[in-house]
């Protein structure tokens, strides 16, 4: 049996999870929530993580009913993400690894999402749509790499949603995306917005600047409601995401889709993807917010796979990096 | 009645052979006026809002036909358009008989042992040339992948052996930025689909550069777009 503890804190969530051979033993998490209209800044986010990380660690061990001696490997997020929070969490991971005398493992955050999705849904070899605040990628596996077939040319879809939420002052609690999703359910009027798909790539900066410019005018003139805007924005950006996923599936001859990342728990996105899959005779796999949103177990799971295939990270190599592409990682644990 | 007339094409399609479901359309094989024909049907996508669906489907059908005609007029191989039905969004195209996609061709050549390098280099050169010619006509393809290029088999004139298809996302632009992004999209699709082909893609770009009068501005933009990609923040 192999037990891996994973530390994740690359953005505004701090999570620590423990995995034992495919079983999630614990996965506590905290979120740094900012006031409406504000995004999260690196140093404030790092301060938040520092303040709670030891409490979360204690919870993770207690809920799993394990002692440090039961752990075989300490995995942490090496990147990509925000510098200051990454450094904070890596420092704690390094410390406990030395205190407990257990090997360290630096994990690519995106690979964590993919491996967690595969574990939970049992999807075998899916086309992966990875959608979060910082990333928008369509990924498929071949020859020991998760290869990026499509991605955003500019900003991530989650970033587009979050910044829209700031423009019309939607609450960040529990997350801007969740609140947009709830408001969208009450919207009915479809407002046409720019739609930009380039092959398997997408662009969201045009739609964001359009809506930043037009939102207040449309709202104050009574042309549409805030709910209508949420609805229209979701319908438009999710259609783009489903479209590039379908393009990648056709190109790769794939019949499975897995959605991962924080935006992936949006039920409307899942519903739209499900309709597309049905039209192609394909199968959709998705998870709920426990595993879609950044968490510690996903880092533990990717770490588990890496550790079992013989990888460890030496102390002097245990740095972090803000940019770390999914396709840089040699996937040593799959054929 | 208009309703009945609209049904003519869909009814026809219920009796013909479905070849495959592509990236956005269903592709059927049939005969039209005695010629082997591919029917590309952009069926309604139920996952998206009907207003958006109608707008995209119509725009893409129009653009596809327009760009194919523009390319053919300039001597760039693309299938002949036989007939278009804008009600059901069906395009009747010349079937490139016995063809295979460049994607499948590269994959099978990479699998086989013999003389693959020369064979693929020739192909990369041809792709570079045809794209240069297309961009010189200010046609931006919008969906350049190796699935959207066909190879006509047979000992014909090598010039006409490579055929460009799938112009649904195409548009007309003279801007080097748009051409650079077109190549960037191809580069990423190419390298992710065909592992270890960096050198081959370099050949393709070299041939593009040599074949187009306006290539230097385009390649400069391509470099810029690549750099933007590498510098993009990945927070969250
Ligand atoms: N004119 C043609 N002749 C032969 N095969 C074709 C032709 N047009 C399309 N195909 C086949 O159908 C597939 C999908 O067509 P395409 O135009 O790319 O549609 P989509 O937009 O759905 O990808 C192509 O990859 C090719 O295999
Ligand atoms: Mg195609």
């Amino acid at each position: 049996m192999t037990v891996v503890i994973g530390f994740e804190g690359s953005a505004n969530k701090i999570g620590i999870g423990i995995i034992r051979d495919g079983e999630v033993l614990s996965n506590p998490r905290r979120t740094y929530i900012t006031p409406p209209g504000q995004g999260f800044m690196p140093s404030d986010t790092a301060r938040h993580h520092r303040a709670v990380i030891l409490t979360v660690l204690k919870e993770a061990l207690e809920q799993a009913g394990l002692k440090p001696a039961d752990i075989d490997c300490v995995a942490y997020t090496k990147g990509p993400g925000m510098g200051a929070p990454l450094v904070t969490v890596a420092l704690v991971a390094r410390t406990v690894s030395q205190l407990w005398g257990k090997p360290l493992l630096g994990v690519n955050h995106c690979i964590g999402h993919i491996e967690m999705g595969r574990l939970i849904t049992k999807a075998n070899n899916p086309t992966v749509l990875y959608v979060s605040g910082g990333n928008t990628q369509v990924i498929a596996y071949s020859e020991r790499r998760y290869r990026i077939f499509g991605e955003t040319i500019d900003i991530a879809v989650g970033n587009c949603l979050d910044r829209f939420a700031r423009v019309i002052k939607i609450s960040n609690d529990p997350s801007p995306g969740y609140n947009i999703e709830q408001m969208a359910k009450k919207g009915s009027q479809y407002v046409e917005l720019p739609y930009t798909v380039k092959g398997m790539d997408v662009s969201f900066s045009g739609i964001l600047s359009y809506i930043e410019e037009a939102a207040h005018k449309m709202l104050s003139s009574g042309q549409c409601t805030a709910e209508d805007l949420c609805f229209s924005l979701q319908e438009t950006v999710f259609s783009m995401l489903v479209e590039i996923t379908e393009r990648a599936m056709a190109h790769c001859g794939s019949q499975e889709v897995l959605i991962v990342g924080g935006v992936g728990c949006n039920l409307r996105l899942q519903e739209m993807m499900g309709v597309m899959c049905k039209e192609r005779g394909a199968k959709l796999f998705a998870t709920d917010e426990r595993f879609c949103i950044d968490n510690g177990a996903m880092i533990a799971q990717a770490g588990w796979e890496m550790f079992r295939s013989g990888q460890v990270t030496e102390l002097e190599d245990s740095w972090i990096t803000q940019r770390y592409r999914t396709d840089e990682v040699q996937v040593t644990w799959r054929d | 009645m208009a309703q009945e007339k609209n049904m003519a094409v869909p009814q026809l399609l219920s009796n013909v052979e479905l070849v495959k479901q592509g990236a956005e359309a269903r592709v059927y094989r049939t005969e039209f006026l005695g010629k082997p024909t591919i029917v590309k049907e952009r069926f309604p996508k139920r996952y998206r809002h009907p207003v958006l669906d109608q707008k995209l489907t119509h725009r893409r059908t129009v653009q596809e036909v327009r760009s194919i005609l523009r390319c053919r007029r300039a001597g760039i191989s693309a299938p002949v358009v036989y007939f278009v039905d804008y009600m059901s969004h069906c395009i009747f195209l010349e079937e490139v008989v016995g063809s295979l996609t460049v994607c499948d061709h590269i994959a099978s050549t990479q699998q086989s042992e013999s003389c693959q390098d020369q064979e693929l280099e020739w192909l990369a050169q041809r792709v570079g040339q045809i794209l240069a010619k297309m961009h010189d006509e200010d046609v931006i393809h919008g969906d350049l992948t190796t699935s959207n290029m066909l190879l006509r088999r047979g000992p014909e004139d090598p010039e006409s052996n490579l055929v460009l298809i799938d112009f649904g996302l195409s548009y007309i632009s003279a801007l080097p930025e748009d051409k650079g992004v077109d190549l960037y999209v191809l580069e990423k699709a190419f390298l992710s689909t065909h592992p270890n082909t960096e050198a081959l893609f370099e050949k393709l770009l070299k041939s593009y550069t040599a074949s187009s009068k306006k290539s230097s501005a385009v390649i400069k933009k391509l470099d810029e777009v690549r750099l933007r990609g590498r510098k993009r923040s990945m927070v969250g």
Side-chain angles (χ1 to χ4, degrees):
Chain A
M1 272 194 310
T2 305
V3 181
V4 179
I5 188 167
F7 288 75
E8 155 61 29
S10 59
N12 69 334
K13 265 77 67 182
I14 165 90
I16 302 177
I18 301 179
I19 293 248
R20 179 174 62 204
D21 296 345
E23 191 188 345
V24 182
L25 299 182
S26 62
N27 197 17
R29 171 174 65 198
R30 299 283 190 282
T31 305
Y32 172 51
I33 292 168
T34 48
Q38 276 178 37
F40 49 95
M41 295 298 151
S43 61
D44 300 337
T45 310
R47 191 174 311 126
H48 167 266
H49 291 0
R50 264 199 304 277
V52 299
I53 191 164
L54 293 180
T55 313
V56 180
L57 175 58
K58 213 175 273 166
E59 276 176 29
L61 287 166
E62 272 168 15
Q63 286 168 20
L66 295 182
K67 295 180 294 302
D70 303 322
I71 308 280
D72 295 301
C73 175
V74 177
Y76 72 96
T77 306
K78 176 173 167 182
M82 268 187 181
L86 280 172
V87 167
T88 301
V89 175
L91 188 128
V92 175
R94 259 193 309 264
T95 307
V96 300
S97 126
Q98 283 175 285
L99 271 176
W100 301 345
K102 305 292 179 182
L104 256 185
L105 203 40
V107 172
N108 178 299
H109 179 86
C110 319
I111 302 277
H113 275 298
I114 297 172
E115 293 306 339
M116 197 65 199
R118 288 182 64 225
L119 172 70
I120 298 294
T121 65
K122 306 277 178 260
N124 177 39
N125 186 21
T127 298
V128 181
L129 175 68
Y130 169 32
V131 275
S132 66
N135 292 278
T136 304
Q137 298 179 336
V138 182
I139 299 160
Y141 175 80
S142 78
E143 296 188 29
R144 306 227 159 220
R145 300 242 175 217
Y146 284 111
R147 297 180 193 272
I148 303 171
F149 282 80
E151 64 188 317
T152 176
I153 297 186
D154 37 62
I155 60 172
V157 61
N159 190 252
C160 178
L161 293 172
D162 294 354
R163 283 163 69 177
F164 163 73
R166 270 178 246 158
V167 170
I168 64 167
K169 297 268 187 327
I170 292 175
S171 162
N172 291 326
D173 189 6
S175 74
Y178 178 83
N179 292 325
I180 291 174
E181 181 178 2
Q182 304 318 311
M183 284 173 74
K185 289 180 189 161
K186 300 188 204 102
S188 54
Q189 190 195 335
Y190 176 72
V191 182
E192 278 194 45
L193 297 168
Y195 183 99
T196 316
V197 164
K198 293 174 192 287
M200 291 181 274
D201 289 342
V202 280
S203 155
F204 295 110
S205 65
I207 193 166
L208 180 65
S209 41
Y210 177 88
I211 208 162
E212 275 176 345
E213 167 89 25
H216 290 298
K217 257 181 267 159
M218 287 194 272
L219 293 177
S220 58
S221 70
Q223 190 193 329
C224 65
T225 64
E227 285 77 9
D228 292 335
L229 280 184
C230 291
F231 168 72
S232 306
L233 182 63
Q234 276 201 169
E235 290 301 307
T236 308
V237 298
F238 292 168
S239 292
M240 290 162 60
L241 295 173
V242 174
E243 172 162 13
I244 60 166
T245 307
E246 184 169 21
R247 287 179 177 279
M249 289 172 80
H251 183 63
C252 301
S254 162
Q255 293 285 28
E256 284 182 353
V257 179
L258 170 65
I259 312 182
V260 300
V263 181
C265 59
N266 186 301
L267 294 178
R268 177 60 186 145
L269 173 60
Q270 292 184 10
E271 178 184 41
M272 289 166 74
M273 196 67 85
V275 173
M276 181 276 282
C277 284
K278 212 161 169 199
E279 278 175 347
R280 303 189 67 84
K283 218 170 155 210
L284 171 65
F285 298 91
T287 61
D288 61 37
E289 51 84 31
R290 287 170 301 165
F291 303 115
C292 244
I293 294 177
D294 294 352
N295 63 90
M298 64 185 239
I299 301 304
Q301 175 58 16
W304 185 91
E305 294 279 13
M306 293 166 75
F307 186 65
R308 292 276 290 226
S309 71
Q311 296 192 47
V312 285
T313 304
E314 297 304 329
L315 188 63
E316 57 268 31
D317 300 326
S318 64
W319 33 273
I320 59 98
T321 170
Q322 285 173 264
R323 289 189 194 87
Y324 189 10
R325 281 176 65 84
T326 315
D327 53 9
E328 282 176 47
V329 177
Q330 172 98 23
V331 180
T332 49
W333 56 95
R334 285 186 70 176
D335 299 327
Chain B
M1 248 173 79
Q3 199 63 27
E4 273 166 31
K5 243 189 348 224
N6 295 351
M7 289 307 291
V9 170
Q11 241 155 38
L12 185 143
L13 292 183
S14 63
N15 303 319
V16 302
E17 176 199 355
L18 177 66
V19 183
K20 66 168 105 175
Q21 184 155 347
E24 57 161 341
R26 291 198 183 108
V27 172
Y28 302 86
R29 181 180 289 125
T30 183
E31 263 191 17
F32 186 75
L33 304 178
K35 294 189 179 111
T37 299
I38 288 285
V39 182
K40 182 169 176 178
E41 180 201 17
R42 286 194 164 81
F43 60 95
K45 299 273 176 181
R46 262 177 276 279
Y47 68 78
R48 60 192 174 204
H49 194 279
V51 173
L52 177 63
D53 185 63
Q54 179 66 25
K55 186 177 83 175
L56 293 178
T57 305
H58 187 73
R59 184 163 75 200
R60 288 171 183 185
T61 307
V62 170
Q63 278 314 117
E64 176 142 37
V65 172
R66 218 177 255 168
S67 294
I68 289 179
L69 294 182
R70 191 170 174 129
C71 281
R72 287 187 56 81
R73 230 178 285 135
I76 299 159
S77 321
V80 183
V81 178
Y82 292 141
F83 178 72
V84 190
D85 180 36
Y86 289 107
M87 294 311 292
S88 61
H89 300 290
C90 284
I91 307 178
F92 288 57
L93 297 162
E94 161 203 6
E95 180 184 2
V96 183
V97 180
S99 62
L100 83 175
T101 64
V102 167
C103 183
D104 291 342
H105 178 72
I106 294 179
S108 64
T109 311
Q110 277 190 323
Q111 298 248 304
S112 76
E113 308 281 303
S114 57
C115 69
Q116 43 169 278
D117 284 2
Q118 264 190 340
E119 161 83 22
L120 290 184
E121 272 176 28
W122 169 84
L123 179 63
Q125 243 164 30
R126 281 294 302 138
V127 174
Q129 283 163 6
I130 200 166
L131 295 184
K133 208 162 166 186
M134 182 185 80
H135 279 175
D136 280 351
E137 292 299 317
D138 294 337
V139 174
I140 311 300
H141 185 283
D143 189 13
L144 288 176
T145 65
T146 49
S147 291
N148 289 335
M149 302 169 187
L150 299 181
L151 274 178
R152 213 190 286 264
R153 269 189 277 211
E156 295 154 67
D157 167 22
E159 276 294 299
S160 63
N161 271 352
L162 185 65
V163 183
L164 295 181
I165 60 165
D166 204 356
F167 286 83
L169 295 181
S170 68
Y171 56 100
I172 304 301
S173 164
L175 294 178
E177 163 96 20
D178 290 330
K179 297 174 186 176
V181 170
D182 218 20
L183 293 180
Y184 179 67
V185 165
L186 174 65
E187 175 174 58
K188 290 198 304 126
F190 196 103
L191 297 180
S192 53
T193 312
H194 310 292
N196 313 314
T197 51
E198 283 76 10
L200 194 66
F201 194 78
E202 262 320 298
K203 287 257 155 50
L204 190 159
L205 283 184
K206 259 213 190 97
S207 147
Y208 176 94
T209 308
S211 315
S212 163
K213 290 151 265 168
K214 305 166 192 161
S215 61
S216 67
V218 176
I219 299 294
K220 209 173 126 215
K221 281 292 172 191
L222 170 63
D223 287 334
E224 269 178 46
V225 181
R226 281 171 174 160
L227 196 67
R228 243 183 273 157
R230 276 197 292 274
K231 280 190 174 166
R232 185 177 41 242
S233 152
M234 293 177 154
V235 170

